[in-house]
Amino acid sequence: MKKRHYKCENCGANLIIDAKAESGSCEYCGSVYYIDREKAPEVHHYIGNVKITPLKIVLTVAIVAMLAAAIVIISLYIAGVFGDSKPPVSNEFKHEKAYLYEGTYLVGKDMEAGEFAAFKDPSESRGTVLVLTDPKASAGTSACVAEYRFANNAYFTVKEGYYVKVDDCNIFRIGEKKVEALADGSFEGNVMLRGGSDLPVGNYILHNTDDNMQYSDIKCVIGGKTYDKKIGYRTHINVGEGDYIYLSRGKLYAEKDAPQPLLGQNGEYLQGQYKVGLDIPKGRYKIDCGKACNVAFFVHNKSGSAFFDKTDEVSPTTMSGYLDLQEGDYIYLYMIKLIADGDGK
């Protein structure tokens, strides 16, 4: 048992007292004494000059918890969990300058109305954009107003009130991303080109070097009018602001950069389109359709436009077999060869 040592204040004798005792008497002189216990010192913790108490600890923890909860709620609101913002987007394929990523958007709320450019995810074979009246609808249903599936890019226009479903592609405003030209300045592949965005306004030539192909298709919107043409080894296109060219085969060059047209074994001009003064010299020519005269036709266009209507087509059976071509004319040949000066075949 722990003892404490004191001196008797009356006789000075040494006293040994139980540490827990509060009073006692001297065994020598009989004096009675009382012991005052010192209070245990309080222990405090400090951060800098601030004393930390249990109450302050509780209040600090509560404030930190409330701030953390507020941050979580604000983050969820921004992410659209509460339904007042754009739908969450995919993290797999995002272009830093894109207007929209994968998701379904309501035009007029989640996205603005107007025209947009879509570029596919490079890791996918195709991109898809659906324009819907019902956000849960799919392609091929009555609620699907338009469907765009593309191997490179596409342009589309949407009105307020429709839904736009975006898969495996990014959406850009017009002019914010364009189709990249090849090293020689030409374009090729399954691309859709827009005048004023992908292409400067001007004259272009689609040049095809595939000798085994009789023709390929080209789809254009020129001056607000749609053309769907079968072309041979060459065609000219006058591109204006907002015109479109869907390119599937061949290479598109600016007119000044295009290679010379392909010629037959005897120097004849093969099926395709030519500009007099650029591709062929002006003068008198003979047309030869061989055994295909029942399906062959040509168009002699003097308007300065590379495109023409179906009504402009002329059958070789309705004329003498000769053409006089002037500088600036266009001649389009389908299943026909054009021979200069009418000499030989």
Side-chain angles (χ1 to χ4, degrees):
M1 181 176 293
K2 189 174 181 179
K3 301 289 186 179
R4 289 188 178 183
H5 296 266
Y6 296 90
K7 283 187 176 292
C8 177
E9 294 180 357
N10 184 43
C11 67
N14 292 325
L15 304 176
I16 300 175
I17 309 297
D18 184 351
K20 294 183 178 181
E22 296 181 356
S23 64
S25 60
C26 177
E27 59 179 316
Y28 297 100
C29 67
S31 297
V32 177
Y33 55 86
Y34 299 91
I35 301 173
D36 291 330
R37 300 291 181 191
E38 293 180 357
K39 293 182 179 180
E42 293 184 2
V43 178
H44 299 289
H45 298 280
Y46 289 82
I47 297 179
N49 294 324
V50 179
K51 183 169 69 176
I52 304 301
T53 65
L55 178 60
K56 288 184 177 179
I57 293 174
V58 172
L59 290 176
T60 301
V61 172
I63 291 172
V64 171
M66 287 189 291
L67 288 175
I71 292 172
V72 170
I73 291 172
I74 292 172
S75 299
L76 292 175
Y77 186 88
I78 293 174
V81 173
F82 299 115
D84 290 331
S85 61
K86 293 180 181 179
V89 299
S90 168
N91 291 320
E92 295 180 0
F93 170 60
K94 289 184 179 180
H95 190 286
E96 60 181 357
K97 296 182 180 179
Y99 174 57
L100 296 175
Y101 312 102
E102 292 192 357
T104 301
Y105 305 89
L106 175 59
V107 182
K109 180 183 178 184
D110 302 320
M111 64 180 293
E112 59 199 47
E115 185 181 21
F116 298 92
F119 284 78
K120 81 172 185 69
D121 182 341
S123 68
E124 300 293 336
S125 59
R126 287 184 177 274
T128 304
V129 174
L130 302 179
V131 182
L132 309 167
T133 57
D134 181 349
K136 298 181 180 179
S138 58
T141 65
S142 59
C144 184
V145 177
E147 178 181 357
Y148 301 87
R149 296 185 183 276
F150 45 92
N152 187 297
N153 72 310
Y155 287 89
F156 66 97
T157 302
V158 289
K159 297 179 180 180
E160 190 167 330
Y162 286 128
Y163 292 89
V164 176
K165 184 177 182 181
V166 180
D167 287 317
D168 297 328
C169 60
N170 286 318
I171 307 301
F172 296 83
R173 292 185 177 92
I174 297 299
E176 291 186 350
K177 182 175 173 59
K178 64 180 183 178
V179 179
E180 297 296 334
L182 301 178
D184 62 358
S186 68
F187 295 86
E188 70 175 343
N190 292 311
V191 297
M192 191 172 186
L193 304 171
R194 185 181 188 275
S197 297
D198 304 304
L199 300 171
V201 171
N203 297 327
Y204 292 84
I205 293 176
L206 180 60
H207 184 79
N208 179 14
T209 57
D210 184 357
D211 293 337
N212 296 318
M213 184 167 54
Q214 294 297 313
Y215 61 84
S216 60
D217 293 330
I218 183 169
K219 297 180 181 180
C220 298
V221 178
I222 305 295
K225 188 168 184 177
T226 300
Y227 296 90
D228 191 350
K229 295 294 182 183
K230 295 182 183 298
I231 63 121
Y233 298 112
R234 192 177 184 88
T235 193
H236 286 253
I237 306 171
N238 310 126
V239 179
E241 184 77 29
D243 288 346
Y244 298 93
I245 304 167
Y246 174 69
L247 183 62
S248 58
R249 293 184 180 181
K251 294 180 71 174
L252 187 72
Y253 296 85
E255 187 178 77
K256 63 181 180 62
D257 299 327
Q260 290 298 306
L262 297 175
L263 300 177
Q265 292 181 352
N266 298 315
E268 69 271 24
Y269 294 96
L270 306 173
Q271 66 176 19
Q273 185 192 55
Y274 305 93
K275 185 176 182 179
V276 182
L278 178 67
D279 302 318
I280 62 177
K282 67 179 182 178
R284 185 172 176 82
Y285 290 84
K286 180 180 180 180
I287 60 174
D288 178 15
C289 56
K291 297 180 180 179
C293 285
N294 59 328
V295 294
F297 65 85
F298 66 90
V299 177
H300 183 194
N301 188 347
K302 301 180 181 181
S303 68
S305 171
F307 277 82
F308 51 90
D309 295 320
K310 186 78 173 176
T311 55
D312 295 329
E313 297 174 0
V314 178
S315 170
T317 59
T318 64
M319 43 82 72
S320 63
Y322 289 90
L323 287 172
D324 291 312
L325 302 180
Q326 303 299 319
E327 189 92 12
D329 289 355
Y330 288 97
I331 179 72
Y332 175 77
L333 310 172
Y334 179 68
M335 303 296 287
I336 290 178
K337 296 177 182 179
L338 193 65
I339 304 167
D341 298 327
D343 296 330
K345 290 187 178 181

